[in-house]
Each structure stands twice: as structure tokens, then as C-alpha cells.
């Protein structure tokens, strides 16, 4: 007779799942007392709401106060929450409404998609939307679009109100310039700071540069507006501020429809109010200082309203320190063998921040000539294989991947059609249909993003392909360089990476970086 042994059943609960780590996000748009009370209420609500659910673990509460919701970059706590999601610290997010989460449709959809890729869903209480069970993004797009429209409407009303106050002269300056304080909405001269303002203008009128004035104020330990160091940029801004004459110009900046701020160079109306407050500087001294600054700019090749270093020197803004990431600045030495040199701006400000010392301009020029001559001599072994490789990538791998993804999208669409047919004929329960359709929609979204990524890759390769072709065409016909050519440098070099005082890298526009030793 066969022996049978009974195996006792396992009574442990196989269906028990780990608790969801749930976080909450809330925001108020101003730092007024009423709004902060609202924020405090939201914080208490979410703490008790999450902790009261036995299937949830409280993963933290993230809140931004006194910050606009029009752009996600301006909300540090939101960005910190996204970072924690990427670090697998959060499984689920609860927030009050779409307008509290984002008032920009693009940002909202971008964040939702990013979190979906991480397997993290968001629950919007007011709209009763859970991104984990949405059939599509249509409803979220509509609602976030309405939130953005609401934000634009509020912004337009605010702009209209401010403009009316500009026009009737009742606008109050909330943040006074250095040299003034505010009292009952009016600018009042701060005599201690006003003495510094007069000193700055007198130094400008005596012929001193803005950098030297800033250094003198720092040497005297004169506190700036925010308590930091004085800079040449700060001094230039003060010299151009008409408020020191007692006048006030309003709407110097404006915000576009995408909530980006711009300087107003005539795109919008400006409003000038004469004798708006007590003056510190006379109109004559102010105009004379403007003329001196403008003359200094012409001597240095600087055009008004243009980038300071644009079209000034071939190396301007293109030499990058590998130690600290700062740009190099051109310096003129009165003594020594090398009159013109380039030095890291952080090292100039404080040698403790960066130890990278100056490098003579002639060393960069010589290294560029050497690098170009190597390319001219060896273009057949360096540039031509690179060109053929890029052509191969474009014509084979990427295009083949795109075709494969297109085929997957077609199959996905066919499967969704089958689901629709089965559901309309009553062969599928609504719950089963919704589950299958959601999975197919999410898969189609992933495939579409893959297509977009490859398309960007191909576009980048096409740019590199064009640049390599241009460089090869030049190198094939060129003769060896005998001296530095600034136009040639600008044509082919994106930037210079300084690794040390003896080694640099030329990052070419075609996407390759070539290292060169600096010869002293």
C-alpha cells in the first residue's frame, strides 16, 4: 500500500502587501497671514489623512509657501519631492487640486508622465482624479489647461491693476534701491547709504572704472544692499538707475504669456514720473555719468543691450575651468612676459574658491594652431572615419528602430480596436475592458516617447554630421596654419575646457573633444 504523507497548509497570508509610502504636496501663492493659515491647515489635514489609512505609511509632506505656481522651477519643495520619487522614497502622492500642483499644462503633464514612468501615481482630491486609473490624459489636459487659464486670467488682472497705478502715479515701490528706505509707501533718503551713492558717482565722473570702485568699497568693508560683496555689475546698475535723480520710470520689465520675465526695450509702454521723491544725484551728474559709461563701452567694443562679451574676442565666454565650472576672463598684465592672459573668474574673486591660475592667451592660440594642423595633416584617418560612422548610424540603426517602433504602435492600435469590438458586442466586462485599454494606452505612450527620443538623437547626429562634413571639407583643402585665426576658431570650436595649466581640450562643434598640451 502506498504511503501518503499529509503536508499541513501554510496559514501565512500570501496576499499581504507592503504599505504604500504616501507623501502630500501643498502650496500657497503668497506669504500673507491668511495664506499661511491656509497652508498650516493643509499640512495638518494631510498628516491626519495619510496616517489614518492603515494601508499607508506617511512618507513626508512637501510644501512651498509664498511662491508662484506658474513654473515648477520656482518651487524647490516640489522639485525635492520629485527627486525623492526618483530615489524610491515615495510610492503615491496626494495633493489638493491640479491648480495647487501646477498652473501650467506643459509642466503638469510632464510631471505626471515622469512620475508614471517611475510607477508613482498622483491623487487630485478636488477633481477626484487618480493618475493610476486614468483611461487617458485627456481629462487631466483639460483640467490643467483650465488651471493655466485661471492663472493667466489672474496675472492679466494683476497687470491691469499695476498698469493703472503706473498711469495715475499711485504705484508704490515695495523694494527701494540702495540709498533709499520706504515709509508709508514713499521713498525716503537713507543718508548713510546716500553718501555711498554720491561717492560712486563722483568716482565715475573722475574717470575710475566700475570694477575699481567695487574693489574700493569692498576694501572699506562697506555693506552692499544685501550684505554681500560689491561687483562691477552692481555699480553699473546703480549708475543707470534714474531713481537717484528723484524721477521714477515704471515697467522696466514685463512678463510674457509663458510667465518669463524680460527687460522692456520698448515692447511695452513705460511711465515716467518726474520729482517722484527726493533726489540724491543731480540730473547733470547723472547724464554725465551715463555718457562716461557709454564711452567706456565703445572703447571696449561693448554695445548697449547686448551681451557684454559678444563679438569682442574669439575666446570670450568660451574658456571653461574644469575645476569649478566658471568661465575665464581676459586680463591685461602691466608687467611680465605675457601682457594678455585668461584667468578663472572664481580664482580672480577668491583664490581659495579655485586654484586655477592664469594662462597666457598666446598658449591657447598656439594650441589651437597645433590642433588644427593635426586635423589638416590627418583628416583621412580622423575625420573621414568619423563622418562615415555618423552616416552609418543615421542610415541603419536609428531608422531601423523607428520602423520597429512604428510597427509596435500599429499593433497596439489594432489590439485596442479588438478590445473596443469585444466590449461593444458584450463579450467583455467594462472593468476588464478598462484595465486592458489602460495598459495598451500606457504602452503606446512609452513607445511614442521612445520614438521622440530617437528622433532627437537623429537630429543631434545630423547636426554633428553637418559639422564634421564642414570640418573635413576645410581640412581637405587647407594648408598648414602659420598663425592663429580667430574666425576659424569661432567657426569650428564650441568651447575650451581647461584641465590644468599644461593641458586643455578643444570641444568642437561636431561633437568631439581633442586634448592638447600647452607649450610654455
Amino acid at each position: 500500500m502506498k504511503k501518503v504523507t499529509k503536508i499541513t497548509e501554510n496559514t501565512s497570508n500570501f496576499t499581504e502587501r507592503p504599505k504604500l509610502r504616501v507623501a502630500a504636496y501643498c502650496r500657497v501663492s503668497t506669504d500673507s497671514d491668511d495664506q499661511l493659515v491656509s497652508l498650516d491647515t493643509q499640512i495638518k489635514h494631510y498628516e491626519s489623512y495619510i496616517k489614518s489609512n492603515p494601508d499607508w505609511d506617511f512618507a513626508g509632506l512637501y510644501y512651498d509657501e509664498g511662491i508662484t505656481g506658474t513654473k515648477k522651477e520656482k518651487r524647490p519643495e516640489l522639485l525635492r519631492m520629485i527627486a525623492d520619487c526618483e530615489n524610491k522614497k515615495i510610492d503615491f502622492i496626494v495633493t489638493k487640486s491640479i491648480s495647487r500642483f501646477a498652473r501650467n499644462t506643459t509642466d503638469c503633464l510632464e510631471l505626471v508622465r515622469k512620475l508614471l514612468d517611475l510607477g508613482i501615481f498622483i491623487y487630485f482630491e478636488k477633481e477626484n482624479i487618480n493618475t493610476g486609473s486614468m483611461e487617458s490624459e485627456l481629462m487631466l489636459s483639460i483640467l490643467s489647461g483650465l488651471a493655466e487659464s485661471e492663472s493667466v486670467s489672474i496675472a492679466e488682472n494683476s497687470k491691469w491693476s499695476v498698469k493703472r497705478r503706473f498711469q495715475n502715479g499711485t504705484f508704490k515701490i515695495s523694494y527701494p534701491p540702495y540709498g533709499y528706505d520706504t515709509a508709508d509707501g514713499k521713498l525716503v533718503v537713507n543718508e548713510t547709504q546716500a553718501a555711498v551713492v554720491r561717492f560712486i558717482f563722483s568716482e565715475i565722473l573722475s574717470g575710475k572704472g566700475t570694477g575699481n570702485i567695487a574693489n574700493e568699497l569692498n576694501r572699506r568693508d562697506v555693506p552692499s544692499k544685501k550684505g554681500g560683496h560689491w561687483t562691477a555689475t552692481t555699480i553699473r546698475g546703480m549708475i543707470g538707475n534714474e531713481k537717484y535723480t528723484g524721477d521714477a520710470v515704471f515697467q522696466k520689465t514685463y512678463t510674457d504669456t509663458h510667465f518669463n520675465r524680460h527687460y522692456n526695450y520698448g515692447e511695452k509702454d513705460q511711465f515716467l514720473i518726474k520729482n517722484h521723491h527726493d533726489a540724491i544725484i543731480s540730473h547733470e551728474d547723472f547724464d554725465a555719468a551715463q555718457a562716461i559709461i557709454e564711452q567706456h563701452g565703445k572703447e571696449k567694443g561693448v554695445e548697449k543691450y547686448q551681451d557684454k562679451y559678444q563679438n569682442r574676442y574669439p575666446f570670450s565666454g568660451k574658456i571653461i575651468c574644469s575645476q569649478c565650472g566658471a568661465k575665464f576672463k581676459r586680463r591685461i598684465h602691466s608687467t611680465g612676459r605675457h601682457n594678455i592672459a585668461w584667468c578663472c573668474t572664481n580664482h580672480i574673486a577668491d583664490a581659495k574658491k579655485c586654484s586655477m591660475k592664469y594662462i597666457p592667451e598666446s598658449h591657447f592660440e598656439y594650441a589651437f594652431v597645433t590642433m588644427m594642423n593635426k586635423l589638416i595633416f590627418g583628416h583621412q584617418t580622423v575625420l573621414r572615419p568619423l563622418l562615415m560612422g555618423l552616416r552609418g548610424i543615421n542610415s541603419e540603426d536609428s531608422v531601423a528602430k523607428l520602423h520597429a517602433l512604428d510597427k509596435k504602435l500599429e499593433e497596439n492600435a489594432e489590439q485596442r480596436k479588438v478590445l473596443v469590438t469585444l466590449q461593444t458586442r458584450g463579450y467583455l466586462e467594462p472593468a476588464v475592458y478598462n484595465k486592458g485599454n489602460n495598459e495598451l494606452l500606457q504602452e503606446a505612450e512609452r513607445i511614442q516617447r521612445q520614438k521622440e527620443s530617437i528622433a532627437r538623437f537623429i537630429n543631434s547626429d545630423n547636426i554633428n554630421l553637418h559639422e564634421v562634413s564642414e570640418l573635413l571639407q576645410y581640412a581637405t583643402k587647407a594648408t598648414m596654419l602659420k598663425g592663429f585665426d580667430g574666425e576659424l576658431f569661432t567657426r569650428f570650436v564650441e568651447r575650451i575646457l581647461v584641465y590644468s595649466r599644461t593641458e586643455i581640450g578643444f570641444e568642437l562643434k561636431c561633437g568631439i573633444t581633442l586634448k592638447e598640451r600647452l607649450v610654455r
Side-chain angles (χ1 to χ4, degrees), residues 325-366:
K327 293 182 179 180
F328 272 50
K329 184 178 181 180
R330 192 173 188 264
R331 308 285 281 176
I332 299 178
H333 295 168
S334 57
T335 59
R337 292 188 301 118
H338 307 290
N339 290 335
I340 301 175
W342 292 81
C343 190
C344 173
T345 51
N346 278 342
H347 180 82
I348 294 172
D350 186 356
K352 294 180 182 178
K353 291 183 179 179
C354 182
S355 62
M356 187 71 73
K357 296 182 179 179
Y358 77 90
I359 297 176
E361 185 174 73
S362 58
H363 291 186
F364 287 111
E365 293 177 346
Y366 186 82

Coordinates of all heavy atoms in Angstrom, one line a residue, residues 325-366:
G325 N 34.0 75.1 -13.0 CA 33.0 75.3 -14.0 C 32.8 76.7 -14.4 O 31.9 77.0 -15.2
A326 N 33.6 77.7 -13.8 CA 33.4 79.1 -14.1 C 34.1 79.4 -15.5 O 34.9 78.6 -16.0 CB 34.0 79.9 -13.0
K327 N 33.7 80.5 -16.1 CA 34.3 81.0 -17.3 C 35.6 81.7 -17.0 O 35.8 82.3 -15.9 CB 33.4 81.8 -18.1 CG 32.2 81.1 -18.6 CD 31.3 81.9 -19.5 CE 30.1 81.1 -20.0 NZ 29.2 82.0 -20.8
F328 N 36.5 81.8 -18.0 CA 37.7 82.5 -17.9 C 37.5 84.0 -18.4 O 36.7 84.2 -19.3 CB 38.8 81.9 -18.7 CG 39.6 80.8 -18.0 CD1 39.0 79.8 -17.3 CD2 41.0 80.9 -18.0 CE1 39.7 78.8 -16.7 CE2 41.7 79.9 -17.4 CZ 41.1 78.9 -16.7
K329 N 38.2 84.9 -17.8 CA 38.1 86.3 -18.1 C 39.4 86.8 -18.6 O 40.5 86.4 -18.1 CB 37.7 87.1 -16.8 CG 37.4 88.6 -17.1 CD 37.0 89.2 -15.8 CE 36.7 90.7 -16.0 NZ 36.3 91.4 -14.7
R330 N 39.4 87.7 -19.6 CA 40.6 88.3 -20.2 C 41.2 89.3 -19.2 O 40.5 90.2 -18.7 CB 40.3 88.9 -21.5 CG 41.5 89.3 -22.4 CD 41.0 89.8 -23.7 NE 42.1 90.0 -24.7 CZ 42.6 91.2 -24.9 NH1 42.2 92.2 -24.3 NH2 43.6 91.3 -25.8
R331 N 42.5 89.2 -19.0 CA 43.2 90.1 -18.1 C 44.4 90.7 -18.8 O 45.1 90.0 -19.7 CB 43.7 89.4 -16.8 CG 42.7 88.6 -16.1 CD 41.7 89.5 -15.3 NE 42.3 89.9 -14.1 CZ 41.8 90.8 -13.3 NH1 40.6 91.3 -13.6 NH2 42.4 91.1 -12.1
I332 N 44.7 91.9 -18.6 CA 45.9 92.6 -19.1 C 46.9 92.8 -18.0 O 46.6 93.5 -17.0 CB 45.5 93.9 -19.8 CG1 44.5 93.7 -21.0 CG2 46.8 94.6 -20.3 CD1 44.1 94.9 -21.7
H333 N 48.1 92.2 -18.1 CA 49.1 92.4 -17.1 C 50.1 93.5 -17.5 O 50.6 93.6 -18.6 CB 49.9 91.1 -17.0 CG 49.1 89.9 -16.4 ND1 49.5 88.6 -16.4 CD2 47.8 89.9 -15.9 CE1 48.6 87.9 -15.9 NE2 47.5 88.6 -15.6
S334 N 50.3 94.4 -16.6 CA 51.2 95.5 -16.9 C 52.7 95.1 -16.8 O 53.6 95.8 -17.3 CB 51.0 96.7 -15.9 OG 51.1 96.2 -14.5
T335 N 53.0 94.0 -16.1 CA 54.4 93.5 -16.0 C 54.5 92.1 -16.5 O 53.4 91.4 -16.6 CB 54.9 93.7 -14.6 OG1 54.0 92.9 -13.7 CG2 54.9 95.1 -14.1
G336 N 55.7 91.6 -16.7 CA 55.9 90.2 -17.1 C 55.9 90.0 -18.6 O 55.7 90.9 -19.4
R337 N 56.3 88.8 -19.0 CA 56.4 88.5 -20.4 C 55.0 88.4 -21.1 O 55.0 88.7 -22.3 CB 57.1 87.1 -20.6 CG 58.6 87.1 -20.1 CD 59.2 85.8 -20.5 NE 58.6 84.6 -19.9 CZ 58.0 83.6 -20.6 NH1 58.0 83.7 -21.9 NH2 57.5 82.6 -20.0
H338 N 54.0 88.0 -20.4 CA 52.7 87.8 -21.0 C 51.7 88.9 -20.6 O 51.2 88.9 -19.5 CB 52.1 86.4 -20.6 CG 53.1 85.3 -20.8 ND1 53.4 84.8 -22.1 CD2 53.7 84.5 -19.9 CE1 54.2 83.8 -21.9 NE2 54.5 83.6 -20.7
N339 N 51.6 89.9 -21.5 CA 50.7 91.0 -21.3 C 49.2 90.6 -21.2 O 48.5 91.1 -20.3 CB 50.9 92.1 -22.3 CG 52.2 92.8 -22.2 OD1 52.8 92.8 -21.1 ND2 52.7 93.3 -23.3
I340 N 48.8 89.7 -22.1 CA 47.4 89.3 -22.2 C 47.3 87.9 -21.7 O 48.0 87.0 -22.2 CB 46.8 89.5 -23.6 CG1 47.0 90.9 -24.0 CG2 45.4 89.0 -23.6 CD1 46.5 91.2 -25.5
A341 N 46.4 87.6 -20.7 CA 46.2 86.3 -20.2 C 44.7 86.1 -19.9 O 43.9 87.0 -19.9 CB 47.1 86.0 -19.0
W342 N 44.3 84.8 -19.7 CA 43.0 84.5 -19.3 C 43.0 83.7 -18.0 O 43.8 82.9 -17.8 CB 42.3 83.6 -20.4 CG 42.1 84.3 -21.7 CD1 43.0 84.6 -22.6 CD2 40.9 85.0 -22.1 NE1 42.4 85.3 -23.7 CE2 41.1 85.6 -23.4 CE3 39.6 85.0 -21.6 CZ2 40.2 86.3 -24.1 CZ3 38.6 85.7 -22.3 CH2 38.9 86.3 -23.5
C343 N 42.1 84.1 -17.1 CA 42.0 83.6 -15.8 C 40.6 83.2 -15.3 O 39.7 83.9 -15.7 CB 42.7 84.5 -14.8 SG 43.0 83.8 -13.1
C344 N 40.5 82.2 -14.5 CA 39.2 81.8 -14.0 C 38.6 82.9 -13.1 O 39.3 83.5 -12.3 CB 39.3 80.5 -13.1 SG 37.9 80.0 -12.3
T345 N 37.3 83.2 -13.4 CA 36.7 84.3 -12.7 C 36.6 84.0 -11.2 O 36.6 84.9 -10.3 CB 35.3 84.6 -13.2 OG1 34.5 83.4 -13.3 CG2 35.4 85.2 -14.6
N346 N 36.4 82.8 -10.8 CA 36.3 82.4 -9.4 C 37.7 82.6 -8.7 O 37.7 83.0 -7.6 CB 35.9 81.0 -9.2 CG 34.3 80.8 -9.3 OD1 33.6 81.8 -9.2 ND2 33.9 79.6 -9.5
H347 N 38.8 82.3 -9.4 CA 40.1 82.5 -8.9 C 40.4 84.0 -8.7 O 41.0 84.4 -7.7 CB 41.1 81.9 -9.8 CG 42.6 82.0 -9.3 ND1 43.1 81.2 -8.4 CD2 43.5 82.9 -9.6 CE1 44.4 81.6 -8.1 NE2 44.6 82.6 -8.9
I348 N 39.9 84.8 -9.7 CA 40.1 86.2 -9.5 C 39.4 86.8 -8.3 O 40.0 87.6 -7.6 CB 39.6 87.0 -10.8 CG1 40.4 86.5 -12.0 CG2 39.6 88.5 -10.6 CD1 39.9 87.0 -13.4
A349 N 38.2 86.3 -8.1 CA 37.4 86.8 -6.9 C 38.0 86.3 -5.6 O 38.0 87.1 -4.6 CB 35.9 86.4 -7.1
D350 N 38.4 85.0 -5.6 CA 38.9 84.4 -4.3 C 39.7 83.2 -4.7 O 39.1 82.2 -5.2 CB 37.7 84.1 -3.4 CG 38.2 83.6 -2.0 OD1 39.4 83.4 -1.9 OD2 37.3 83.3 -1.2
A351 N 41.0 83.3 -4.5 CA 41.9 82.2 -4.9 C 41.6 80.9 -4.1 O 41.9 79.8 -4.6 CB 43.3 82.6 -4.6
K352 N 40.9 81.0 -3.0 CA 40.5 79.8 -2.2 C 39.4 79.0 -2.9 O 39.3 77.8 -2.7 CB 40.1 80.2 -0.8 CG 41.2 80.8 0.1 CD 40.7 81.2 1.4 CE 41.8 81.9 2.3 NZ 41.3 82.3 3.6
K353 N 38.6 79.7 -3.7 CA 37.5 79.0 -4.3 C 38.0 78.2 -5.5 O 37.4 77.1 -5.8 CB 36.5 80.1 -4.9 CG 35.7 80.8 -3.8 CD 34.7 81.7 -4.4 CE 33.9 82.5 -3.4 NZ 32.9 83.4 -4.0
C354 N 39.0 78.6 -6.1 CA 39.6 77.9 -7.3 C 41.1 78.1 -7.4 O 41.5 79.3 -7.4 CB 38.9 78.3 -8.6 SG 39.4 77.4 -10.0
S355 N 41.9 77.1 -7.5 CA 43.3 77.2 -7.6 C 43.9 77.4 -9.0 O 45.1 77.5 -9.2 CB 44.0 76.0 -6.9 OG 43.6 74.8 -7.6
M356 N 43.0 77.4 -10.0 CA 43.4 77.5 -11.4 C 44.0 78.9 -11.7 O 43.3 79.9 -11.6 CB 42.3 77.2 -12.3 CG 42.7 77.1 -13.8 SD 43.7 75.6 -14.2 CE 42.4 74.4 -14.1
K357 N 45.3 79.0 -11.9 CA 45.9 80.3 -12.2 C 45.8 80.7 -13.7 O 45.3 79.9 -14.5 CB 47.4 80.2 -11.8 CG 47.6 80.0 -10.3 CD 49.1 80.0 -9.9 CE 49.3 79.8 -8.4 NZ 50.7 79.8 -8.1
Y358 N 46.3 81.9 -14.0 CA 46.1 82.4 -15.3 C 46.9 81.6 -16.4 O 47.9 80.9 -16.1 CB 46.5 83.9 -15.4 CG 48.0 84.1 -15.4 CD1 48.7 84.2 -16.6 CD2 48.7 84.2 -14.2 CE1 50.1 84.4 -16.6 CE2 50.1 84.4 -14.2 CZ 50.8 84.5 -15.4 OH 52.1 84.6 -15.5
I359 N 46.4 81.7 -17.6 CA 47.1 81.1 -18.8 C 47.3 82.1 -19.8 O 46.3 82.8 -20.2 CB 46.3 79.9 -19.3 CG1 46.2 78.8 -18.2 CG2 47.0 79.3 -20.6 CD1 45.4 77.6 -18.6
P360 N 48.5 82.4 -20.3 CA 48.7 83.4 -21.4 C 47.8 83.1 -22.6 O 47.6 81.9 -23.0 CB 50.2 83.3 -21.7 CG 50.8 82.7 -20.5 CD 49.7 81.7 -19.9
E361 N 47.3 84.1 -23.2 CA 46.5 84.0 -24.4 C 47.3 83.3 -25.6 O 46.7 82.5 -26.3 CB 46.0 85.4 -24.9 CG 45.0 85.3 -26.1 CD 44.5 86.7 -26.4 OE1 45.2 87.5 -27.0 OE2 43.3 86.9 -26.1
S362 N 48.5 83.6 -25.7 CA 49.4 83.0 -26.7 C 49.4 81.5 -26.6 O 49.6 80.8 -27.7 CB 50.8 83.6 -26.7 OG 51.4 83.4 -25.4
H363 N 49.3 81.0 -25.4 CA 49.3 79.5 -25.2 C 48.1 78.9 -25.8 O 48.2 77.8 -26.5 CB 49.5 79.1 -23.8 CG 50.8 79.5 -23.2 ND1 51.2 79.1 -21.9 CD2 51.9 80.1 -23.7 CE1 52.4 79.6 -21.7 NE2 52.9 80.2 -22.8
F364 N 46.9 79.5 -25.6 CA 45.7 79.0 -26.2 C 45.8 79.1 -27.8 O 45.4 78.1 -28.5 CB 44.5 79.8 -25.8 CG 44.1 79.6 -24.3 CD1 44.3 80.6 -23.4 CD2 43.5 78.4 -24.0 CE1 43.9 80.3 -22.1 CE2 43.2 78.1 -22.7 CZ 43.3 79.1 -21.7
E365 N 46.3 80.2 -28.3 CA 46.4 80.4 -29.7 C 47.3 79.3 -30.3 O 47.0 78.7 -31.4 CB 46.9 81.8 -30.0 CG 46.0 82.9 -29.6 CD 46.5 84.3 -29.9 OE1 47.7 84.4 -30.1 OE2 45.7 85.2 -29.9
Y366 N 48.5 79.1 -29.7 CA 49.4 78.1 -30.2 C 48.8 76.7 -30.2 O 49.0 75.9 -31.1 CB 50.7 78.1 -29.4 CG 51.8 77.3 -29.9 CD1 52.7 77.7 -31.0 CD2 52.0 76.0 -29.5 CE1 53.7 76.9 -31.5 CE2 53.0 75.1 -30.0 CZ 53.8 75.6 -31.0 OH 54.8 74.8 -31.5

